[in-house]
Amino acid sequence: MLEKHLKATGGKVFTRFPPEPNGYLHIGHAKAMFINFGLAKERGGCCYLRYDDTNPEAEKKEYIDHIEEIVRWMGWEPFKITYASDYFQDLYELAVELIRRGHAYVDHQTPEEIKEYREKRMNSPWRDRPIEESLKLFDDMKRGIIEEGKATLRMKQDMQSDNYNMHDLIAYRIKFTPHPHAGDAGCIYPSYDYEHCTVDSIENVTHSLCTLEFETRRASYYWLLDALSLFQPYVWEYSRLNVTNTVMSKRKLNRLVKEKRVDGWDDPRLMTLSGLRRRGVTSTSINAFVRGIGITRSDSSMINVDRLEYHIREELNKTAPRTMVVLHPLKVVITNLEVGSVMDLNAKKWPDAPLDDASSYYKVPFSNVVYIENSDFRMKDSKDYYGLAPGKSVLLRYAFPIKCTDVILGDDKETVLEIRAEYDPSKKTKPKGVLHWVSEHSPGVDPLKVEVRLFDKLFLSENPAELDDWLGDLNPESKMVIPGAYAVPSLKNAAVGDRFQFERLGYFVVDKDSSSEKLVFNRTITLRDSYGKVGK
């Protein structure tokens, strides 16, 4: 058996990344990819992308296409793309052989009865039925003669074992459901417990790597391969990736999507890989995060999301060009600058570029009307405040110092409508506060208007999955949409997926909802943790 295996593999390491196509991949799958594809790459071996597609009721072509696309986005190239459904005929023939060897039987218990008997370690009344009878009934199951739910094929394992996963697991069940990949694949489908290990063996996988919740299934894995006299891969389990303030159960993610509590599988607040990508997170920063946390067998740890955010900032700080956007614009009229005059100033684009490198700058217009953040102005000054206030000066970044000379209030005598200021063209004034700003593009023409979406943690608790009312823990302020932000004109040609650092506000990416009429930006992450709350 080993000789045949080595002939097929050439002595190379063979692994597989085996997702079920019943939802979108999340950050936990990034770790599984890193381990399976990474081990094969490190050892000069091969890694399959294999769909464990044995449950047609939960699977969709949409999920199949997404998985292949996101695996490649994560930087991995499969040796081959295969499906468990590719082997349905082989698996059926192996099941027939299992019955012939006396290791499987057709059972007529209901799901509730199976559960009760397994918990009480009681044999099914049909466990010792004749082999020929089980063969005939299994054929009837395959041909659709038996109704759905009226029979299953169960493995004859060890009902007295202390391991619940040895209590006669189901190998096949009847489902009159078309398959998203195989089409009309018949009326019976193999279970995960039956299919997973047999396909590992058929594909000559050398190392079957999975998360620790499958450790108790290792006995069943080897029992079945031994019962069928098949090659046995080496099985090793590692801790799953748990990240704070999110859920990663596909069942919970599916519910969030179906109940429209989020905006689809790629909602930027989710820890799905498509959600992270839409938020502007790069695959390289995700892989750096996975590499940084390491691979252990300790399954009790919860990784703080701050560790992921560290790697995101590390990369974007080096790669994202700087620009200026004002989220909540407050008009400032510079009274000592001639109306209609516009100066083009050089704003620095890259953080570490040489000062004499022209490509490290971009032009920003400066006119007598500029806009600052509403939160950067107060009517009353204080020592620990570095923004603008009546009689106080601040520096407009890349431009000039300005001093507030007057404030125009609304009818309520509280709402600030407009600020009047004078600028210092000599730049002799040296204020402590430095503000980002955006100017009119030309006299009477507002700056580029963009939509900005700010995101915070989706859940308030670090571990919402442990809560009975986990949906009640959703953060009501996890998303804020700002439809009327102002941006510098150089952003008008930004394309979907382009990333920027908005000075003082964080890192942003152009969202797929953008159009020629309106640019939409998602905040990937704040500049530092102290800016972590939505709206800051």
Side-chain angles (χ1 to χ4, degrees), residues 50-119:
R50 185 178 80 221
Y51 295 98
D52 274 350
D53 55 343
T54 62
N55 185 10
E57 293 170 334
E59 296 160 8
K60 294 181 183 177
K61 180 71 163 56
E62 172 194 351
Y63 301 149
I64 294 171
D65 294 342
H66 154 76
I67 290 170
E68 181 180 345
E69 190 259 336
I70 214 76
V71 165
R72 289 198 163 97
W73 177 73
M74 285 298 297
W76 307 114
E77 188 60 39
F79 158 62
K80 282 182 184 177
I81 297 175
T82 61
Y83 298 77
S85 55
D86 293 341
Y87 305 102
F88 275 178
Q89 183 59 34
D90 302 279
L91 296 176
Y92 171 75
E93 291 170 5
L94 286 171
V96 170
E97 179 63 22
L98 196 67
I99 298 170
R100 285 195 180 121
R101 294 188 179 196
H103 296 311
Y105 60 97
V106 173
D107 188 24
H108 300 293
Q109 288 185 302
T110 64
E112 294 74 24
E113 288 171 336
I114 290 175
K115 184 175 184 292
E116 180 188 353
Y117 275 54
R118 291 183 74 214
E119 287 173 350

Side-chain angles (χ1 to χ4, degrees), residues 261-460:
R261 295 175 184 268
V262 293
D263 304 324
W265 284 98
D266 64 348
D267 188 301
R269 293 167 290 178
L270 292 177
M271 281 286 171
T272 58
L273 294 175
S274 57
L276 289 167
R277 177 173 61 178
R278 187 174 178 186
R279 190 161 173 162
V281 178
T282 62
S283 58
T284 45
S285 60
I286 296 171
N287 282 327
F289 163 68
V290 172
R291 183 186 295 275
I293 61 176
I295 302 167
T296 71
R297 282 180 54 83
S298 172
D299 210 25
S300 58
S301 61
M302 177 77 69
I303 305 299
N304 197 298
V305 71
D306 291 348
R307 290 188 67 170
L308 172 62
E309 292 177 349
Y310 165 79
H311 290 282
I312 296 169
R313 286 192 186 94
E314 277 285 289
E315 180 168 332
L316 291 179
N317 184 50
K318 299 171 185 174
T319 60
R322 295 181 178 184
T323 189
M324 291 192 290
V325 171
V326 173
L327 300 182
H328 302 285
L330 176 59
K331 188 175 183 180
V332 179
V333 177
I334 300 172
T335 56
N336 63 333
L337 185 61
E338 183 182 343
V339 176
S341 67
V342 179
M343 288 181 273
D344 279 333
L345 307 177
N346 285 329
K348 197 169 182 184
K349 188 175 184 180
W350 299 101
D352 300 318
L355 292 177
D356 58 353
D357 183 356
S359 68
S360 67
Y361 292 91
Y362 64 100
K363 299 286 185 184
V364 291
F366 181 74
S367 70
N368 76 308
V369 177
V370 299
Y371 295 86
I372 64 171
E373 290 288 353
N374 200 296
S375 58
D376 281 335
F377 177 80
R378 289 183 189 173
M379 289 298 293
K380 293 183 179 180
D381 196 10
S382 61
K383 286 184 178 180
D384 58 347
Y385 175 62
Y386 293 95
L388 192 61
K392 186 177 181 179
S393 296
V394 294
L395 175 65
L396 297 181
R397 189 158 175 77
Y398 308 119
F400 305 94
I402 62 169
K403 181 179 181 179
C404 176
T405 56
D406 195 12
V407 181
I408 310 300
L409 299 176
D411 294 338
D412 60 2
K413 303 302 180 184
E414 291 184 4
T415 304
V416 178
L417 301 179
E418 187 179 299
I419 295 169
R420 301 290 167 85
E422 293 181 353
Y423 88 113
D424 176 9
S426 67
K427 300 186 180 181
K428 289 182 179 179
T429 311
K430 302 294 182 184
K432 291 182 178 180
V434 180
L435 307 184
H436 66 286
W437 55 279
V438 174
S439 170
E440 284 186 346
H441 292 185
S442 56
V445 178
D446 286 339
L448 177 66
K449 193 174 183 180
V450 299
E451 180 179 305
V452 175
R453 299 170 182 174
L454 307 180
F455 301 102
D456 202 353
K457 296 176 177 68
L458 184 58
F459 290 91
L460 298 170

